Amino acid sequence: MNIVVLAGGLSTERDVSFVTGNMVSKALRKNGHNVILLDVFMGYSDKPEDLTGIFERSQEVSVEVTSIPSTAPDLEAVKKSRKDQSDCFFGPNVIELCRMADIVFMALHGENGENGKIQATFDLFGIKYTGTGYLSSALAMDKGLSKRLFQANGIPTPAGISMKKAECERDFKKTGLTLPCVVKPCCGGSSIGVSIVRTEEEYNQALEEAFHWEEEVVIEDYVEGREFSVGVIDFKALPVIEIAPIEGFYDYKNKYAAGSAVETCPAELPENVTKEMQHYAEEVARVLGLNTYSRMDFLLNKDNKMFCLEANTLPGMTPTSLLPQEAQAVGVNFEQLCEQLIEISLKKYQ
């Protein structure tokens, strides 16, 4: 097949997305496909191009990728570096190339990758893509909204509230919550802008950090415990993986720097706890309508009580990512996983 792997964009996870895209591109080429790795924001070329036969020289026109930096990208600098300086989110030739492809593999993470806007655009253009559709993407991306859906459907999740910047409550006592708590951007990813708050002074600092990234934040009870993740493919849960950061919590650095966390798959848990967590992961997929693949994040306290934090609609596919490790635990290697995700996604169009 002719495949566009779409990466980059303008989210705080731009750099992570490129590494996902690079890994996926290599795997799909190994599987025999013609693959173009494309930056959705920068596009291909800034002048009129004859795109005839472009997939036969796919590697020549693909983005070149390096490793993930230890800090989030400067998005204003990225915007200023685009040659055509258009106000259109899609870079030159992006829509044209995606329409020429048999399918677009969505290697995007974060805003305008996982919030459903690109999926909705592609639906209107008749472009086939991997992953769930626009509505389920939007529901999962909004942590405040997905939390309310979890609560309404009996899926355990930390108690919390959403707060917009224009209506920000600086007095912690008036929030109705207790310390410690967690403050995080409502629609962010890769733990960027997330703070664990233990004092009222830290609360205001955490608000400043979270509002730096977004106009809405989620404030929720802090759960002391072990961290887990469960991938779900076609509504069926994969083995549970445990993530144990060597220092601190599972933040941006610990997610992507090799050796920063110990990851165990399958997780060492009692069988009944494993099955319960897998059940709730499948329930999240059902409730949010995540009909292809996704990954749910959980915390487990000392009493083995679990809490679902969020759903990821386009899980990372980097060398340290969790979904590929979970698939490997059931005998599915990286190349097979990429192929499987395409096959399941194409079922949407049958």
Side-chain angles (χ1 to χ4, degrees):
M1 288 193 288
N2 292 332
I3 300 172
V4 166
V5 174
L6 206 58
L10 283 177
S11 87
T12 51
E13 297 176 87
R14 172 180 171 84
D15 295 329
V16 181
S17 170
F18 280 130
V19 179
T20 283
N22 193 41
M23 291 287 292
V24 170
S25 296
K26 288 179 178 178
L28 293 176
R29 287 177 185 133
K30 193 173 179 180
N31 291 347
H33 301 293
N34 298 320
V35 181
I36 294 174
L37 176 56
L38 185 64
D39 183 342
V40 64
F41 181 70
M42 293 297 183
Y44 167 64
S45 184
D46 61 336
K47 57 183 184 295
E49 293 279 351
D50 180 4
L51 302 178
T52 306
I54 195 167
F55 281 94
E56 277 121 52
R57 49 191 180 92
S58 55
Q59 287 186 258
E60 173 193 325
V61 301
S62 289
V63 176
E64 292 186 13
V65 175
T66 56
S67 60
I68 302 173
S70 59
T71 56
D74 181 344
L75 297 179
E76 287 305 313
V78 173
K79 290 177 186 176
K80 289 175 183 175
S81 69
R82 183 160 133 177
K83 290 182 180 179
D84 69 352
Q85 287 297 292
S86 168
D87 60 358
C88 179
F89 172 77
F90 292 100
N93 296 303
V94 169
I95 294 296
E96 292 85 349
L97 285 168
C98 290
R99 281 177 60 80
M100 291 170 66
D102 295 305
I103 192 168
V104 175
F105 196 109
M106 298 287 277
L108 294 158
H109 303 313
E111 185 181 7
N112 290 333
E114 293 185 84
N115 63 10
K117 292 182 180 179
I118 292 176
Q119 288 83 352
T121 302
F122 282 0
D123 287 343
L124 294 175
F125 274 106
I127 296 169
K128 297 175 182 177
Y129 55 89
T130 59
T132 195
Y134 74 91
L135 180 57
S136 48
S137 296
L139 291 174
M141 189 69 178
D142 188 315
K143 294 182 180 66
L145 184 54
S146 58
K147 180 183 288 291
R148 291 196 287 275
L149 287 169
F150 295 169
Q151 292 167 335
N153 287 275
I155 298 164
T157 189
I161 59 172
S162 301
M163 185 185 295
K164 294 186 183 295
K165 192 172 186 178
E167 304 156 1
C168 178
E169 178 53 72
R170 296 283 176 178
D171 185 349
F172 183 78
K173 294 184 182 70
K174 294 181 180 179
T175 64
L177 299 172
T178 57
L179 293 171
C181 69
V182 176
V183 178
K184 57 188 178 183
C186 189
C187 297
S190 287
S191 300
I192 292 171
V194 177
S195 302
I196 297 173
V197 174
R198 301 184 187 278
T199 67
E200 291 187 24
E201 291 74 21
E202 289 178 355
Y203 168 68
N204 275 285
Q205 295 169 8
L207 287 179
E208 292 298 324
E209 172 63 18
F211 281 131
H212 170 74
W213 300 102
E214 285 183 32
E215 293 295 306
E216 185 173 356
V217 303
V218 168
I219 307 166
E220 63 186 14
D221 288 347
Y222 172 68
V223 177
E224 181 92 44
R226 298 158 67 188
E227 299 183 48
F228 299 87
S229 196
V230 185
V232 176
I233 297 179
D234 207 11
F235 297 107
K236 180 67 177 173
L238 291 168
V240 178
I241 187 168
E242 179 172 8
I243 311 104
I246 293 171
E247 292 182 4
F249 72 104
Y250 199 45
D251 59 7
Y252 188 89
K253 174 182 175 293
N254 286 330
K255 279 178 174 13
Y256 305 116
S260 295
V262 176
E263 293 158 357
T264 307
C265 187
E268 296 174 2
L269 289 169
E271 185 179 356
N272 65 310
V273 176
T274 294
K275 287 184 176 178
E276 185 181 11
M277 195 175 291
Q278 289 176 314
H279 163 73
Y280 282 127
E282 292 172 353
E283 276 295 284
V284 170
R286 183 188 64 79
V287 166
L288 298 182
L290 306 176
N291 60 2
T292 51
Y293 61 100
S294 52
R295 198 198 75 231
M296 321 312 169
D297 296 337
F298 290 86
L299 285 170
L300 188 72
N301 69 14
K302 59 181 172 48
D303 299 319
N304 277 351
K305 184 178 180 181
M306 63 191 64
F307 301 85
C308 184
L309 300 179
E310 62 180 79
N312 303 272
T313 56
L314 293 175
M317 299 279 279
T318 73
T320 56
S321 292
L322 305 177
L323 187 72
Q325 293 186 60
E326 294 176 59
Q328 185 68 58
V330 290
V332 178
N333 68 30
F334 192 82
E335 290 79 15
Q336 291 168 331
L337 175 62
C338 292
E339 205 69 33
Q340 186 179 353
L341 298 184
I342 288 174
E343 290 171 4
I344 290 168
S345 298
L346 283 172
K347 282 165 50 177
K348 292 183 299 183
Y349 303 101
Q350 291 174 358

